[in-house]
Amino acid sequence: MTAAPPDGGDAASDGPERGEIEDSADPRPGGGASGSSADPGAEDAAATAAGSADTGHSHLAHTWQEARQASFDCATPIPPGLVPLRNALGRTLAADITALQDMPHYASSAMDGWAVNGTGPWILADPGHRLAPHQASPIVTGGLIPPGAKAVLRSESGTITTDDEGLPVLALGGAARPGEPKNGQHIRKAGEEAAAGDILVKSGTVLNPAHLALAALAGHDALRVQGKPVVKLLLTGSEVVAAGLPAPGKVRDTFGPQLGAVVEMLGGISAGQEKIGDDYDEWLAALEDAGPDDGSGLRQETGEPAAEEAPADVVITTGGTGRSGTDHLRRAVAELGGRLLIDGIAMRPGHPAVLAELPDGRFILGLPGNPLAAMMALCTVGAPLLAALGHGTLPPVGEVPCGTTIDPDPGRTRLMPFRLLYGMASPAQHAGPGMMRGLAAADGVLVVPPHGVQLGEAVPAFALPWGAPIQQAEPAAAKPRTAPRKASRKPAASDGPVDWSALLG
């Protein structure tokens, strides 16, 4: 049985049908910044040379595997740097946290009550003064133990009374226990938690809130952590609206609400977004603006600036990756002296994805204008790139048993959001390049090879940034040999997997 096409007509088709055009064309009316080429079939033919009118050169589209590896290999991990404690949660420590002084750095009271010297009754002295034998002074929890004090008497264990001459004195009373207070009782000694120079948290630890509190107690204002890429979003399209129901000729913004969050899930630091129209000068100016920097190319050692003020390591654009007159990404990259690292991928959806590097070291990741196509390109190219910049590893690809038969599509890898049904992965419905419904309900993404997939066959798959990891398909256990069964008079049911994909409708 052939897989039901996720968008109602193109998931398993052989030729450049409607989904083919949607993949390369911007979903916006009138063509927009991601317009399709005049010959979408030729543009999409995998592993064939494609002419580029705006760059004047020919290129060979990367395969899906090549694109992932190329985007991972092109990046060098960002060097460690100092970040303020408030920004260090979830970061990986690049240097041990040590105590900058004794912890605590002074002897303090563990109770509200009185600091005392010797046995009672005690003559009351002013707080902070040296205590002579048989003297006491009021103290609160955490208060500095005055010179001469030997212990702390709890407030509930003492009472203020008068001596024979009518002078106020402190005496044992209330809940006092025999022998209270003993020398050193209820005193937090200096250095009892750590001595200056002790290692408190080792390098390589992923910082949690308790680590940050400990670092603050140890005297740190900032911590040295492994670098993470700062990512700025450049959203294009003069007809895109951010709220309400769009009028005919207008479309809702699908990138603004999701891309920043996905960037964070992939290990980047989202540094906000900028919206521009379809004019080339706007594109050029936006890509030219790298953000504030000191000109050294290094991050400040006194602490990372706020993400919105930091120079970008990666700029992600939406739309503008096609071949029409309103697609300006390649031209802008060329004018800024950049080079294309990936110019098209033999996959669907998302084949017009572009990865470029500018002379200042910034990477430009151009996503197609259709939302599902853009997300597949982000998972294919953006995830490995951000992983490499952030000291990570190439995102894993697992395997799942396919719940339907998917016909071949020679020369092209197809990425299909899937749903798990009875342990089998079947392509989700409503998964055209311009749709989001299928992805919102998906358990992961199938990586369907050009030769197609048979029912029950293990097929590569990857997890969504917000989804559960893909489990590796377990090989079938060897069955013990048994005596042959007698032939049944009834037709034997098939021992193979059952196609449940029709239940997903």
Side-chain angles (χ1 to χ4, degrees), residues 262-287:
V262 177
V263 163
E264 297 275 354
M265 293 173 182
L266 293 176
I269 300 174
S270 179
Q273 53 188 250
E274 178 183 356
K275 186 178 183 301
I276 63 172
D278 298 323
D279 184 74
Y280 173 72
D281 291 336
E282 291 182 82
W283 270 84
L284 187 62
L287 291 178

Side-chain angles (χ1 to χ4, degrees), residues 73-296:
D73 291 342
C74 72
T76 301
I78 295 171
L82 289 173
V83 300
L85 290 181
R86 67 179 182 276
N87 296 339
L89 182 64
R91 302 292 292 268
T92 301
L93 197 60
D96 295 340
I97 299 177
T98 59
L100 300 183
Q101 58 184 358
D102 289 346
M103 296 172 58
H105 60 285
Y106 63 91
S108 63
S109 175
M111 295 286 178
D112 292 339
W114 296 268
V116 300
N117 184 348
T119 58
W122 296 273
I123 299 171
L124 294 177
D126 291 332
H129 287 73
R130 174 176 287 276
L131 299 181
H134 310 295
Q135 279 191 324
S137 61
I139 196 168
V140 296
T141 301
L144 178 64
I145 298 296
K150 306 299 183 183
V152 170
L153 178 68
R154 299 177 299 160
S155 57
E156 58 267 33
S157 298
T159 183
I160 302 297
T161 184
T162 57
D163 62 9
D164 294 342
E165 299 178 1
L167 297 175
V169 294
L170 171 67
L172 292 177
R177 298 174 184 146
E180 188 177 353
K182 298 176 181 178
N183 277 347
Q185 191 171 11
H186 303 314
I187 290 179
R188 296 170 178 162
K189 297 178 182 179
E192 70 177 8
E193 184 172 7
D198 283 355
I199 295 176
L200 306 177
V201 185
K202 288 187 175 294
S203 176
T205 301
V206 178
L207 295 169
N208 64 33
H211 294 139
L212 304 186
L214 179 59
L217 285 174
H220 295 272
D221 298 318
L223 298 175
R224 186 169 296 279
V225 297
Q226 288 184 359
K228 287 181 70 172
V230 174
V231 181
K232 294 191 176 180
L233 306 178
L234 189 59
L235 311 182
T236 70
S238 56
E239 67 291 329
V240 177
V241 297
L245 296 175
K250 301 289 184 180
V251 294
R252 273 297 297 264
D253 173 25
T254 60
F255 294 119
Q258 66 165 326
L259 274 187
V262 177
V263 163
E264 297 275 354
M265 293 173 182
L266 293 176
I269 300 174
S270 179
Q273 53 188 250
E274 178 183 356
K275 186 178 183 301
I276 63 172
D278 298 323
D279 184 74
Y280 173 72
D281 291 336
E282 291 182 82
W283 270 84
L284 187 62
L287 291 178
E288 206 168 19
D289 181 16
D293 198 353
D294 62 359
S296 68

Side-chain angles (χ1 to χ4, degrees), residues 398-404 424-425 446-449 451-461 471-475 497:
E399 286 185 338
V400 291
C402 193
T404 189
M424 307 284 280
L446 296 175
V447 183
V448 181
H451 55 74
V453 178
Q454 296 300 311
L455 174 64
E457 182 182 353
V459 59
Q471 300 295 326
Q472 289 284 347
E474 296 183 2

